[in-house]
Every structure is written in C-alpha cells, then in structure tokens.
Amino acid sequence: MENTPKWYDAHLQDYRKVAYIKSKEEYDELYNRSINDIDRFWSEQADKYLTFEKRWDSVLKYDFNTADIEWFGGGILNASYNCLDKHVDKLKNKVAYYWEGDNPAESKVVTYLELYNEVNKFAAVLLANGVKKGDRVIIYLPMIVELPVAMLACARIGAVHGVIFGGFSAESIASRIQDCGAKIVVTVDGGFRAGKPLPLKKNVDEALTRCPEVTKVIVFKHAGMDLKLDPSKEIWWHEAMADPNLPSYVKPEPMSSEDPLFILYTSGSTGKPKGVLHTHAGYLLHAAMTNRLVFDLKDDETFWCTADIGWITGHSYTVYGPLINGFTSVLFEGVPNYPGWDRYWEIVAKRKVDKFYTAPTVIRSLAREGAGWVEKHDLSSLKLLGTVGEPINPEAWRWYYHYVGRDWCPIVDTWWQTETGGQMITPLPAVAPIKPGSCSFPFFGIDPVILDPDTGEEVKYPGQEGALFIRKPWPGMARTVFGDHQRFIDTYFSRIPGMYFTGDGAKQDEDGYFWIAGRIDDVINVSGHRLGTAEVESALVLHPDVAEAAVVGFPHPIKGQGIYAFVTLNQGVAKTDELRKGLVNLVRQQIGPIATPDAIQWADALPKTRSGKIMRRLLRKISAGQIDDLGDTTTIADPSVVDTLVKGRVVLNA
Ligand code: 6R9
C-alpha cells in the first residue's frame, strides 16, 4: 500500500513478557472464540469481570432488523455494587481517584472506602428527594469527585443518569431535560477553567425557566459562589449529606441486565442530538474488559484518561471501566495549558501515571508549544499511551511517541463511538507492531466489515475505501435512542439491513490493519467532539437577519476539523462584523462554546442542485481552499455562485 508508514515495535518484546495477551496467535484464538463461540466465551468474561446477583439465562438474543439486542438476559446485577461493594473490603484503602484541581494547589486522594461511603450517602439523598428506579437524573457537573459519586448513586438506586458536558449551554441543557423527562438536576455553583470561574448553576437556572417539570435541584458548592437557593426546590449538596437521619448504607437496587444505566446525548447528521441509551450488563462488561486488556492495565498501575466525563470516553474509562476493575485513576478538573503548557506532565510525574489516554487534538496543541514543556518532567513512569476521538495525523503521532513515549511506549489508537459503549478497533500492546494512524485490529467480539454504502457489497482489494459496518452485536452497544426506537433503527440499522452502520469511512490494508478515514455523514469532529452540521445551521437561521445557512467542516491544524458557515442574509441586511459576532454568540448560546464557528462567510447565494439541494461537497472544498479540485459542477443550477464564493473565502490564521 502506498505510503505505508514505518512499523513501530520497540515495546513488543518487553510487552510479550508481561502482557495479558502475548501474541498475535493468542489474540487470533481468543478473537475467533469471541465471534464463533459466543455463549462460552462471553459467559467466561462476564464471570471474570462482573458479579451478578442472579446469573443470566441466555447470553445473546438479537434481531438487527428491529434493533432488539439482549445480552445476559435474565441476569440481575447492580453497577454500583460492581464498582464499589464488590471490592470495598479488599481495596478499602486503595486510591480510587487522585483528584487534581484546576488550581494546582488543590488536590484530593479518594480511596475506595471513601467513594463507597459518599455514593451510599448520596444515593440516600436521591431517595429522600423522591428519585425512584427508572427515573432520569440530569447531572451537570465539572470534573470533580462528586460527578462519579452522583453517577454511581443513580446506578445504585436504579435511576438513569444523563450527564451533560459543562461546555453545553442553557439551551442545550433545557432540550436534554425535556427530551429525557428528568425531574431532578444535580449541579454545582460553578466550576473553574484556567483560573476563571464558570457559572454552571446560572446555566441551569436559565434552562429551568423552560423546564417546569423539574422539581428538585441539588447544588454542590465548589467555587464558593454566594448563591441564593430557591427553597421551594433547590437544596445544597453539603446540607443534604449532613442530615443525621440519612442512612449510611443503601441496598443496591437489583437491576436486569437490560435495564437502562445511562443516557448520553450525541450529535448525528440530522435533527437534534440523540439520547443514546446504554444498559447494564453488556456495557459494564465491555468497559471493564477493554479497560484492562487494551491498556494492559495491572492492578497496581495508575491510569489517566483525560477526557471529560461528560463524554462517553469519561463514562467508560474514568468511571465504569476503572472502578469495576478496582483500578486507580486520575480525575483532572483543569485544562492542559494552565498554569503552564506542562500541566499534564506535571500531573503524570506527580502521580506516577503508568498509562495515559488522550485525544489527538490535545497532542497537536501541546506539540505546537514545543517539547521543552515535556522535557521539564520525569515521565519515566509511563508505559503505554492511548488516543481516541479522531484519526491521528503522523506528525502528532511521532511527537507523542518520541517526546512523551520515549520512542518505546506503544500507542493504542482506539476507534469507537458513543453508541459502541467501549473500544472497538484498537491495537493490543503485545499482539503486533503498530502503524501510526491505524487502529489495527478489532477487539474481541467485534466483527467489522467495509462495504460500499450504496450497494452493500464488500470492498474487493486492500486499501479500498468504503463505509465501516459491524456485522454482529457486541456487549457494549447502545440499545436504543431514548424515546425514539425508530430513530435508532433508521440511523444505525437501515443503511444496509442487518448491520450496524458506524457513519465512518475506513479501509483495511494488506496486513489486515484498519484505517479510519473519518465521518462520511454530515457530522463534524471538532477537537474530538461530534457536532451535526444541521444543529449549527438551525442555530444560525434563528437569527432574524439570516435567510439561509450551510455549515461544513474544514481541516483545522489543531482541532482536526473546524466549523465553517456560509450564511445568506435577508435582502438589504448589512454584512457587518458586528452581525458576524452576533451570529457566533447565537450559536454559543444555542449549543455551547464547543460549537463556536471558526469562520463565517457571507454568501449571497449557495450552490444548489436543480432540485434545490445544497451542494455540501462543493462547500467543503471551498472552505478547505481546494479550489482547483472542485469536481463535477455540471449539476449546479447557477455555476456563477461558486466563483463568488471562492473569491470570498475566509482564510484563518489558526
Ligand atoms: C469515543 C468517541 C465517535 C467518532 C467516530 C469517529 C471518530 C473516534 C477515533 C475516531 C479515528 C479513532 N473517532 N475515535 N476516528 N480514529 N481512534 O470519540 O466517541 O464522541 O461518539 O465520536 O469519532 O469518526 O465515529 P464519539
């Protein structure tokens, strides 16, 4: 295959001495069993990783046409029990979390026993406030220990948590609350970001003006803000937890394997974000098993996944995966560049982190500041590095490998999605050499195939690009879109009937390695976060001066993709910088700062087909400056539109 990069295998012999899975042969054998001997293989794994109150009756039943998937049917278990009670006796003094504040002077060490006690107490608080099994609880908290505490307390009593990332706006909070029908919100006075306070409670207040069905708000005091709570519905976390009548133990609610565990909203190519629903047994098993095997994590090692818990990566690899395994993790509130660009490395050295997992966008932004920041610290504790969220470009990969990984640490480039629950295609450190930019081979139980998305035919030769589908169910997969099962079927199981559609383009090289090309739908990946172009467009057209908007992703040196908006104004409206700022603010207010457009270009007209469809393919090329390569423009209704847009392209100095 052309441009096949060098293979990296410096670590391989060392890892073959210590790794759980020591060779390609061992991997192949386990992989074959995981696909062909489902009942036995997955029973063994479930027995190894999870404790059931009642064992399952059947391992897997499914129908991809109706998208009904059941793993470990008939089983009864509790997620909080599996994260805490299961090992609290043995691990009571073991560190569950090293918490590091945004302010480097603030940190906390939380043991398994302390976490267990807090979760029990908060579960009692939830019960005392009327939360019942199956109720949805919205959690809007920064990266503080109370976030996993609140999630596990929900799980303990059988409530379904819906965590909202702190970077989402009041508008986004309101639409999520309405969508899932939550009556209770857990939040905080404020968070911190690079030394500045963020008024999270204020966002909740604004959201709740549109959510009258919310009758309780529990507020943790973190930023020392002087807030007046509304006594009719708001209570302080610390006051509720101090109630002497609160029981110190709450019995874990017996949950069926397929009872909902959480909802997490994610963007798709159409409409509003979807509430992706994950259930108990399968999800927990997938998170726990990948956490141990992909990072080859040993019980005495310290793990750090830098993702915010507001995303699936934090759910699976800061909360459920590590806790089910009884691992020690770092939980970091701040940002990589505060107080200096070495904050991550300072924490790695301080906590002697063994295995470190972050996103390519972070690596690019750190690399841009120079290796000096890395070299200031002793990173010799690091044994393995990981990436997630987007394809990693070779320059970023080599920088990470060389400066952070000492030309030795394997890099596991893990491809997966909110909907998949856990890692899907990823290297394992002792199985095979690593190729920069490739996520290597499927994890156990994952049966990927690359197809022509229109005909459904399998690609025929190595290196041929197609769309990535998964042929069989795996334990961690999402079970539905909350409240809209039809949307689940339409989005994931209808493109090619009988298969799960990932939305990603991919190819497989002659050695069988998978290479992910990125989304083939109208989803943009901004700094590893998914945004639907339709969402940003809907926000823009809310402005009274805007007639029409088309949004595309364009290559961005740090973010991977940036947001480029073509905006047509109503007749006679002046194209001012002020209006441009107003539109940027409108998007931030409607979705949140993560959706801030990088460029807005005024477009008197948009290129359309004769049937009136916006030609996004052309807009993508224009935004990327690929104007010599506009492709077939014969179907365009008015070709002169394109010339005008090319001339007016907004060039960014990122
Ligand atoms: C876990 C997570 C999912 C989308 C996915 C793909 C992209 C994630 C990747 C990757 C290339 C990797 N993606 N990991 N692309 N290589 N290692 O990121 O979930 O936020 O739902 O995003 O991210 O395009 O479809 P989510």
Side-chain angles (χ1 to χ4, degrees), residues 266 311-313 387-392 413-419 439 502 504 516 518-519 525 528-530:
T266 192
W311 308 107
I312 190 70
T313 307
T387 66
V388 59
E390 51 175 321
I392 183 163
D413 176 349
T414 62
W415 174 83
W416 60 293
Q417 311 176 298
T418 305
E419 298 88 339
C439 49
T502 66
D504 279 309
I516 307 293
R519 304 290 305 194
N525 190 329
H529 301 148
R530 275 162 65 171

Side-chain angles (χ1 to χ4, degrees), residues 291-348:
N291 201 172
R292 187 172 280 273
L293 299 183
V294 171
F295 300 104
D296 201 56
L297 261 175
K298 302 294 158 39
D299 292 328
D300 59 352
E301 290 181 333
T302 298
F303 181 59
W304 184 12
C305 161
T306 69
D308 195 287
I309 293 174
W311 308 107
I312 190 70
T313 307
H315 276 60
S316 300
Y317 300 110
T318 300
V319 183
Y320 289 109
L323 296 178
I324 289 170
N325 281 295
F327 291 143
T328 297
S329 299
V330 171
L331 180 62
F332 174 46
E333 181 189 15
V335 289
N337 60 342
Y338 176 80
W341 280 97
D342 57 346
R343 189 69 202 282
Y344 275 5
W345 317 128
E346 187 225 346
I347 294 174
V348 167

Side-chain angles (χ1 to χ4, degrees), residues 610-649:
R610 288 188 186 89
S611 63
K613 272 193 159 179
I614 295 176
M615 297 175 80
R616 288 166 189 286
R617 178 179 55 80
L618 268 179
L619 294 176
R620 263 182 234 126
K621 297 239 155 137
I622 294 171
S623 71
Q626 296 164 350
I627 44 173
D628 301 330
D629 176 27
L630 289 181
D632 181 11
T633 52
T634 49
T635 53
I636 189 168
D638 175 7
S640 72
V641 165
V642 175
D643 298 335
T644 319
L645 288 181
V646 166
K647 283 194 202 104
R649 183 168 89 95

Side-chain angles (χ1 to χ4, degrees), residues 95-100 108-110 302 328-332 351:
V95 176
Y97 290 117
Y98 288 118
W99 178 76
E100 300 293 334
K108 216 183 328 187
V109 178
V110 182
T302 298
T328 297
S329 299
V330 171
L331 180 62
F332 174 46
R351 296 305 184 188

Side-chain angles (χ1 to χ4, degrees), residues 43 108 138 250 383 385 391 438 445 510 519 549 561 577 598:
S43 292
K108 216 183 328 187
I138 285 290
V250 171
K383 299 188 184 76
L385 306 172
S438 163
E510 65 281 1
R519 304 290 305 194
Q561 280 190 301
D577 277 347
D598 296 279

Side-chain angles (χ1 to χ4, degrees), residues 5 12 45 99 193 225 244 342 357 376 478 504 579 627 651:
L12 217 51
Q45 302 307 321
W99 178 76
R193 196 183 157 83
M225 292 177 178
D342 57 346
Y357 190 34
K376 269 171 66 180
D504 279 309
L579 179 54
I627 44 173
V651 184

